[in-house]
């Protein structure tokens, strides 16, 4: 398979990275795409949101980053036959020291992914709210990035730093004749009843132009309820506004990249 690896990244917390990762994963399966969802965050939110019990698996993505497990051993099947998950664990002692000691540290995920990549159409990586080596590993392993931006005050905060990090990774990848594309900025949690949200939409569109996805994810209570029940909103409440938007996003993503 000609797989596409996408990092969902923004070091700002609570902007909708995990919600986008799980719902884009679920929405892509409606288009018959086989997806691997990688939870690269110590908070393990994507793992929990996919209904995976944190005590039910032996190896997490972090055991793969420390090279104590190989990716294929850590992948978990889910109820949806088209979604596999590479789970995260919350308590990971000593992982940073082990990774920093690895001379190939920025390329660990990139190297390990090569062995399983061909089994999937899309590999989505839910990044943590930081720009440390874990996020760098995700970006180095990716073909593209989706940047969720919350339609709230200070939405642009930190984006310059994020873009600088992306440029740094692009330079690293260029050496191997690989690229890292910003697939798009995704506007999330738009409160359609207030004008300030739309002001943010205009601001972001002025700055990023064509790189903003046409799909905007509205703020919608079904989204947070779905998180509570450990299922993507696209399955929990398929007719809700947020589900419809995420299904639309999946169409936009596949129309750009097949
Ligand atoms: N469209 C939406 N409508 C309503 N609530 C939402 C929506 N998207 C996300 N949320 C809620 O907002 C909160 C933050 O979302 P999420 O966890 O996806 O952000 P994040 O960027 O992954 O956060 P972190 O940086 O901590 O990993 C969650 O409680 C989630 O349920
Ligand atoms: Mg998250």
């Amino acid at each position: 398979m000609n797989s596409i690896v996408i990092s969902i990244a923004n070091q700002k917390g609570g902007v909708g990275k995990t919600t986008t990762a799980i719902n884009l994963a679920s929405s892509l399966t409606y288009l018959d795409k086989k997806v691997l969802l990688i939870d690269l965050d110590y908070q393990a939110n994507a793992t929990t949101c996919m209904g995976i019990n944190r005590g039910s698996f032996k190896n997490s993505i972090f055991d793969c980053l420390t090279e104590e497990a190989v990716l294929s051993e850590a992948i978990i099947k889910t109820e949806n036959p088209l979604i596999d998950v590479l789970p995260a664990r919350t308590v990971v002692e000593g992982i940073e020291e082990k990774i920093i000691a690895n001379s190939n540290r920025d390329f660990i995920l990139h190297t390990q992914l090569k062995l399983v990549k061909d089994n999937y159409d899309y590999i989505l990586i839910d990044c943590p709210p930081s720009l440390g080596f874990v996020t760098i590993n995700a970006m180095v392993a990716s073909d593209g990035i989706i940047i969720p931006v919350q339609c709230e005050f200070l939405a642009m905060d930190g984006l310059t730093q994020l873009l600088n990090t992306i440029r740094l990774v692009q330079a690293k990848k260029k050496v191997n004749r690989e690229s890292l594309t910003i697939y798009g900025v995704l506007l999330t949690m738009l409160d359609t009843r207030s004008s300030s949200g739309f002001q943010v939409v205009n601001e972001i569109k002025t700055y990023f132009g064509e790189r903003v996805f046409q799909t905007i994810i509205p703020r919608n209570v079904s989204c947070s309820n779905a998180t509570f029940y450990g299922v993507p909103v696209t399955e929990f409440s398929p007719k809700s506004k947020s589900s419809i938007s995420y299904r639309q996003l999946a169409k936009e993503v596949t129309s750009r990249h097949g």
Side-chain angles (χ1 to χ4, degrees), residues 8 10-23 41 43 45-46 49 126-130 148 150 187-190 217-228 233 242 246:
I8 321 283
N10 186 343
Q11 79 278 22
K12 198 167 177 186
V15 296
K17 293 181 287 295
T18 303
T19 305
T20 298
I22 61 173
N23 287 300
D41 187 359
Q43 298 178 97
N45 289 342
C49 290
D126 182 24
C127 292
S130 79
Q150 190 180 350
L187 293 158
T188 64
M189 292 184 245
L190 175 66
I217 311 297
R219 182 174 280 286
N220 179 244
V221 71
S222 303
C223 228
S224 25
N225 286 346
T227 310
F228 186 77
V233 68
S242 44
Y246 275 115

Side-chain angles (χ1 to χ4, degrees), residues 3 7 22 41 45 54 58 62 102 104-105 127-128 130 161 167 174 180-181 184 187 200-201 204 213 219 224 226 244:
S3 55
S7 280
I22 61 173
D41 187 359
N45 289 342
R54 289 184 198 172
K58 184 168 166 273
F62 298 113
N102 188 328
N104 192 34
R105 63 180 162 264
C127 292
S130 79
Q161 209 189 347
R167 264 183 227 118
K174 206 171 171 188
L180 175 69
T181 311
L187 293 158
V200 175
V201 172
I204 297 284
F213 283 107
R219 182 174 280 286
S224 25
I244 294 166

Side-chain angles (χ1 to χ4, degrees), residues 4-9 106-107 110 117 123 125 127 131 135-147 162-184 211 257:
I4 294 172
V5 186
I6 306 178
S7 280
I8 321 283
D106 294 340
F107 288 82
H110 182 270
K117 226 174 160 176
I123 297 169
I125 309 176
C127 292
L131 288 175
T135 297
I136 302 277
N137 254 273
M139 289 184 183
V140 168
S142 294
D143 301 299
I145 299 192
I146 292 178
I147 307 173
L162 176 61
L163 295 175
N164 285 342
T165 306
I166 293 172
R167 264 183 227 118
L168 208 110
V169 175
Q170 282 170 331
K172 267 185 208 289
K173 290 189 63 115
K174 206 171 171 188
V175 178
N176 295 347
R177 296 215 177 97
E178 291 178 352
S179 58
L180 175 69
T181 311
I182 297 178
Y183 285 156
R211 285 190 295 182
H257 313 289

Side-chain angles (χ1 to χ4, degrees), residues 40-225:
L40 206 52
D41 187 359
Y42 301 117
Q43 298 178 97
N45 289 342
T47 304
T48 313
C49 290
M50 288 302 293
I52 297 167
N53 183 329
R54 289 184 198 172
S56 68
F57 52 89
K58 184 168 166 273
N59 297 311
S60 76
I61 179 65
F62 298 113
D63 300 299
C64 301
L65 290 184
T66 54
E67 298 184 326
E68 278 152 27
V70 290
L71 236 81
S72 55
E73 284 173 359
I75 290 174
I76 296 180
K77 300 215 172 302
T78 67
E79 275 177 26
N80 183 338
L82 288 175
I83 304 184
D84 289 351
V85 172
L86 194 46
R89 205 182 282 294
T90 40
V91 184
V92 193
E93 277 166 25
I95 172 195
E96 304 198 357
E97 291 78 0
K98 278 186 197 155
I99 295 177
I100 287 167
N102 188 328
S103 58
N104 192 34
R105 63 180 162 264
D106 294 340
F107 288 82
I108 307 171
L109 186 60
H110 182 270
T111 308
Q112 289 219 10
L113 257 185
K114 278 187 188 153
L115 301 171
V116 299
K117 226 174 160 176
D118 288 348
N119 300 333
Y120 302 95
D121 296 299
Y122 283 90
I123 297 169
L124 302 181
I125 309 176
D126 182 24
C127 292
S130 79
L131 288 175
F133 57 82
V134 170
T135 297
I136 302 277
N137 254 273
M139 289 184 183
V140 168
S142 294
D143 301 299
I145 299 192
I146 292 178
I147 307 173
V149 169
Q150 190 180 350
C151 300
E152 289 279 336
F153 185 55
L154 298 179
M156 302 277 285
D157 224 33
L159 284 180
T160 310
Q161 209 189 347
L162 176 61
L163 295 175
N164 285 342
T165 306
I166 293 172
R167 264 183 227 118
L168 208 110
V169 175
Q170 282 170 331
K172 267 185 208 289
K173 290 189 63 115
K174 206 171 171 188
V175 178
N176 295 347
R177 296 215 177 97
E178 291 178 352
S179 58
L180 175 69
T181 311
I182 297 178
Y183 285 156
V185 172
L186 176 68
L187 293 158
T188 64
M189 292 184 245
L190 175 66
D191 182 351
T192 49
R193 293 162 307 178
S194 86
S195 61
S196 60
F198 288 101
Q199 274 174 24
V200 175
V201 172
N202 287 336
E203 200 182 337
I204 297 284
K205 283 190 172 167
T206 306
Y207 191 81
F208 286 98
E210 291 284 293
R211 285 190 295 182
V212 181
F213 283 107
Q214 278 171 11
T215 306
I216 298 179
I217 311 297
R219 182 174 280 286
N220 179 244
V221 71
S222 303
C223 228
S224 25
N225 286 346

